[in-house]
Coordinates of all heavy atoms in Angstrom, one line a residue:
Chain B
V473 N -49.3 -40.1 -61.1 CA -49.1 -38.8 -61.8 C -50.4 -38.4 -62.4 O -50.8 -37.2 -62.3 CB -47.9 -38.9 -62.8 CG1 -47.9 -37.7 -63.7 CG2 -46.6 -39.0 -62.0
P474 N -51.1 -39.3 -63.2 CA -52.4 -38.8 -63.8 C -53.4 -38.2 -62.8 O -54.0 -37.1 -63.0 CB -53.0 -40.1 -64.5 CG -51.8 -41.0 -64.6 CD -50.9 -40.7 -63.5
L475 N -53.6 -38.9 -61.6 CA -54.5 -38.4 -60.6 C -54.0 -37.0 -60.0 O -54.7 -36.1 -59.9 CB -54.6 -39.4 -59.5 CG -55.5 -38.9 -58.3 CD1 -57.0 -38.8 -58.8 CD2 -55.4 -39.9 -57.1
A476 N -52.7 -37.0 -59.7 CA -52.1 -35.8 -59.2 C -52.2 -34.6 -60.1 O -52.6 -33.5 -59.7 CB -50.6 -36.0 -58.8
T477 N -52.0 -34.9 -61.4 CA -52.1 -33.8 -62.4 C -53.5 -33.3 -62.5 O -53.8 -32.1 -62.6 CB -51.6 -34.3 -63.7 OG1 -50.3 -34.9 -63.6 CG2 -51.4 -33.2 -64.7
A478 N -54.4 -34.3 -62.5 CA -55.9 -33.9 -62.5 C -56.3 -33.1 -61.3 O -57.2 -32.3 -61.4 CB -56.7 -35.2 -62.6
C479 N -55.6 -33.2 -60.2 CA -55.9 -32.5 -59.0 C -55.1 -31.2 -58.9 O -55.1 -30.5 -57.9 CB -55.6 -33.3 -57.8 SG -56.7 -34.7 -57.6
G480 N -54.4 -30.8 -60.0 CA -53.7 -29.6 -60.0 C -52.3 -29.6 -59.5 O -51.7 -28.5 -59.4
L481 N -51.7 -30.8 -59.2 CA -50.4 -30.8 -58.8 C -49.4 -30.8 -60.0 O -49.8 -31.2 -61.1 CB -50.2 -32.1 -57.9 CG -51.0 -32.2 -56.7 CD1 -50.8 -33.5 -56.0 CD2 -50.7 -31.0 -55.7
V482 N -48.2 -30.5 -59.7 CA -47.2 -30.4 -60.7 C -46.2 -31.5 -60.6 O -45.8 -31.8 -59.5 CB -46.4 -29.0 -60.6 CG1 -45.3 -29.0 -61.7 CG2 -47.4 -27.9 -60.8
S483 N -45.9 -32.2 -61.7 CA -44.9 -33.3 -61.6 C -43.6 -32.9 -62.3 O -43.7 -32.3 -63.4 CB -45.5 -34.6 -62.1 OG -45.7 -34.5 -63.5
Q484 N -42.5 -33.3 -61.8 CA -41.2 -33.1 -62.4 C -40.3 -34.2 -62.1 O -40.4 -34.8 -61.0 CB -40.7 -31.7 -61.9 CG -40.4 -31.7 -60.4 CD -40.0 -30.3 -60.0 OE1 -40.9 -29.4 -59.7 NE2 -38.7 -30.0 -59.9
P485 N -39.3 -34.5 -62.9 CA -38.3 -35.5 -62.6 C -37.4 -35.0 -61.4 O -37.2 -33.8 -61.3 CB -37.5 -35.6 -63.9 CG -38.2 -34.8 -64.9 CD -39.1 -33.9 -64.3
V486 N -37.0 -35.9 -60.6 CA -36.1 -35.5 -59.5 C -35.1 -36.6 -59.2 O -35.3 -37.8 -59.5 CB -37.0 -35.3 -58.3 CG1 -37.6 -36.6 -57.7 CG2 -36.3 -34.5 -57.2
V487 N -33.9 -36.2 -58.8 CA -32.9 -37.2 -58.4 C -32.7 -37.1 -56.9 O -33.0 -36.1 -56.3 CB -31.6 -36.9 -59.1 CG1 -31.7 -37.1 -60.6 CG2 -31.1 -35.5 -58.8
P488 N -32.1 -38.1 -56.3 CA -32.0 -38.2 -54.8 C -31.2 -36.9 -54.3 O -31.6 -36.4 -53.2 CB -31.2 -39.4 -54.6 CG -31.6 -40.4 -55.7 CD -31.8 -39.5 -56.9
A489 N -30.2 -36.4 -55.0 CA -29.5 -35.3 -54.5 C -30.4 -34.1 -54.3 O -30.2 -33.3 -53.4 CB -28.3 -35.0 -55.4
E490 N -31.3 -33.9 -55.3 CA -32.2 -32.8 -55.2 C -33.2 -32.9 -54.0 O -33.5 -31.9 -53.3 CB -33.0 -32.6 -56.5 CG -34.2 -31.7 -56.5 CD -33.9 -30.3 -56.3 OE1 -32.7 -29.9 -56.2 OE2 -34.9 -29.5 -56.0
V491 N -33.7 -34.1 -53.8 CA -34.6 -34.4 -52.7 C -33.8 -34.1 -51.4 O -34.4 -33.4 -50.5 CB -35.0 -35.8 -52.7 CG1 -35.9 -36.1 -51.5 CG2 -35.8 -36.1 -54.0
V492 N -32.6 -34.5 -51.2 CA -31.8 -34.3 -50.0 C -31.6 -32.8 -49.8 O -31.8 -32.3 -48.7 CB -30.5 -35.0 -50.1 CG1 -29.5 -34.5 -49.1 CG2 -30.7 -36.5 -50.0
A493 N -31.3 -32.1 -50.9 CA -31.1 -30.6 -50.8 C -32.4 -29.9 -50.3 O -32.3 -29.1 -49.4 CB -30.7 -30.0 -52.1
R494 N -33.5 -30.4 -50.8 CA -34.8 -29.8 -50.3 C -35.0 -30.1 -48.8 O -35.5 -29.3 -48.1 CB -36.0 -30.4 -51.1 CG -36.1 -29.8 -52.5 CD -37.1 -30.5 -53.3 NE -37.3 -29.9 -54.6 CZ -38.3 -29.0 -54.9 NH1 -39.2 -28.7 -54.0 NH2 -38.4 -28.5 -56.1
L495 N -34.7 -31.4 -48.4 CA -34.9 -31.7 -47.0 C -34.1 -30.9 -46.1 O -34.5 -30.4 -45.0 CB -34.6 -33.2 -46.8 CG -35.6 -34.2 -47.5 CD1 -35.1 -35.6 -47.4 CD2 -37.0 -34.1 -46.9
W496 N -32.8 -30.7 -46.5 CA -31.9 -29.9 -45.6 C -32.2 -28.4 -45.7 O -31.7 -27.7 -44.9 CB -30.5 -30.3 -45.9 CG -29.9 -31.2 -44.9 CD1 -29.2 -30.8 -43.7 CD2 -30.0 -32.6 -44.8 NE1 -28.9 -31.9 -42.9 CE2 -29.4 -33.0 -43.6 CE3 -30.6 -33.6 -45.6 CZ2 -29.3 -34.4 -43.2 CZ3 -30.5 -34.9 -45.2 CH2 -29.8 -35.3 -44.0
R497 N -33.0 -28.0 -46.7 CA -33.5 -26.6 -46.7 C -34.7 -26.5 -45.8 O -35.3 -25.4 -45.7 CB -33.9 -26.2 -48.1 CG -32.6 -25.9 -49.0 CD -33.0 -25.0 -50.1 NE -34.0 -25.5 -51.0 CZ -33.8 -26.2 -52.1 NH1 -32.6 -26.5 -52.4 NH2 -34.8 -26.6 -52.8
G498 N -35.2 -27.6 -45.1 CA -36.3 -27.5 -44.2 C -37.6 -28.0 -44.7 O -38.6 -27.9 -44.1
Q499 N -37.6 -28.6 -46.0 CA -38.8 -29.1 -46.5 C -39.2 -30.4 -45.9 O -38.3 -31.2 -45.4 CB -38.7 -29.2 -48.0 CG -38.6 -27.9 -48.7 CD -38.9 -28.0 -50.2 OE1 -39.2 -29.1 -50.7 NE2 -38.9 -26.9 -50.9
V500 N -40.4 -30.7 -45.9 CA -40.9 -32.0 -45.4 C -41.5 -32.7 -46.7 O -42.4 -32.1 -47.3 CB -42.0 -31.9 -44.3 CG1 -42.6 -33.3 -43.9 CG2 -41.4 -31.2 -43.1
L501 N -41.1 -33.9 -47.0 CA -41.5 -34.6 -48.2 C -42.0 -36.0 -47.9 O -41.5 -36.7 -47.1 CB -40.3 -34.7 -49.2 CG -39.8 -33.3 -49.8 CD1 -38.5 -33.6 -50.6 CD2 -40.8 -32.6 -50.6
A502 N -43.1 -36.3 -48.6 CA -43.6 -37.7 -48.5 C -42.8 -38.6 -49.5 O -42.4 -38.1 -50.6 CB -45.1 -37.7 -48.9
L503 N -42.6 -39.8 -49.1 CA -41.9 -40.8 -50.0 C -42.8 -42.0 -50.2 O -43.2 -42.6 -49.2 CB -40.6 -41.2 -49.4 CG -39.8 -42.3 -50.1 CD1 -39.3 -41.8 -51.5 CD2 -38.6 -42.9 -49.3
V504 N -43.1 -42.3 -51.5 CA -43.9 -43.5 -51.8 C -43.0 -44.4 -52.6 O -42.4 -43.9 -53.6 CB -45.1 -43.1 -52.6 CG1 -45.8 -44.3 -53.1 CG2 -46.0 -42.2 -51.8
D505 N -42.8 -45.6 -52.2 CA -41.9 -46.5 -52.9 C -42.5 -47.9 -53.0 O -42.5 -48.7 -52.0 CB -40.6 -46.6 -52.1 CG -39.6 -47.5 -52.8 OD1 -39.8 -48.0 -53.9 OD2 -38.5 -47.7 -52.2
G506 N -43.2 -48.2 -54.1 CA -43.7 -49.5 -54.4 C -44.7 -50.1 -53.4 O -45.7 -49.4 -53.1
R507 N -44.5 -51.3 -52.9 CA -45.4 -52.0 -52.0 C -45.4 -51.3 -50.6 O -44.4 -50.9 -50.1 CB -45.1 -53.4 -52.0 CG -45.1 -54.1 -53.3 CD -44.9 -55.6 -53.2 NE -46.1 -56.3 -52.7 CZ -46.2 -57.6 -52.6 NH1 -45.3 -58.4 -53.1 NH2 -47.3 -58.1 -52.1
S508 N -46.6 -51.3 -50.0 CA -46.7 -50.7 -48.7 C -46.3 -51.6 -47.6 O -46.2 -52.9 -47.8 CB -48.2 -50.2 -48.4 OG -49.0 -51.4 -48.5
E509 N -46.0 -51.1 -46.4 CA -45.5 -51.9 -45.3 C -46.6 -52.7 -44.6 O -47.8 -52.2 -44.5 CB -44.8 -51.0 -44.3 CG -43.6 -50.2 -44.8 CD -44.0 -48.9 -45.3 OE1 -45.2 -48.6 -45.6 OE2 -43.1 -48.0 -45.5
F510 N -46.3 -53.8 -44.1 CA -47.2 -54.6 -43.2 C -46.8 -54.2 -41.8 O -45.7 -54.4 -41.4 CB -47.1 -56.1 -43.5 CG -48.0 -57.0 -42.8 CD1 -49.4 -56.6 -42.6 CD2 -47.6 -58.1 -42.2 CE1 -50.2 -57.4 -42.0 CE2 -48.5 -59.0 -41.5 CZ -49.8 -58.6 -41.4
G511 N -47.8 -53.8 -41.0 CA -47.5 -53.4 -39.6 C -47.7 -51.9 -39.4 O -47.9 -51.2 -40.4
P512 N -47.5 -51.5 -38.2 CA -47.8 -50.1 -37.9 C -46.6 -49.1 -38.3 O -46.8 -47.9 -38.2 CB -48.0 -50.1 -36.4 CG -47.2 -51.2 -35.9 CD -47.2 -52.3 -37.0
R513 N -45.5 -49.6 -38.7 CA -44.3 -48.7 -39.0 C -44.2 -48.4 -40.4 O -44.3 -49.3 -41.3 CB -43.0 -49.3 -38.4 CG -43.1 -49.7 -37.0 CD -42.9 -48.5 -36.1 NE -43.3 -48.9 -34.7 CZ -44.4 -48.5 -34.1 NH1 -45.3 -47.7 -34.7 NH2 -44.7 -48.9 -32.9

Side-chain angles (χ1 to χ4, degrees):
Chain B
V473 170
L475 176 70
T477 310
C479 292
L481 299 176
V482 177
S483 69
Q484 63 187 84
V486 72
V487 294
E490 164 64 10
V491 176
V492 165
R494 284 172 176 264
L495 293 172
W496 257 267
R497 285 204 302 269
Q499 292 196 359
V500 178
L501 296 171
L503 174 66
V504 173
D505 181 5
R507 302 185 71 172
S508 60
E509 301 89 343
F510 184 43
R513 305 281 166 255

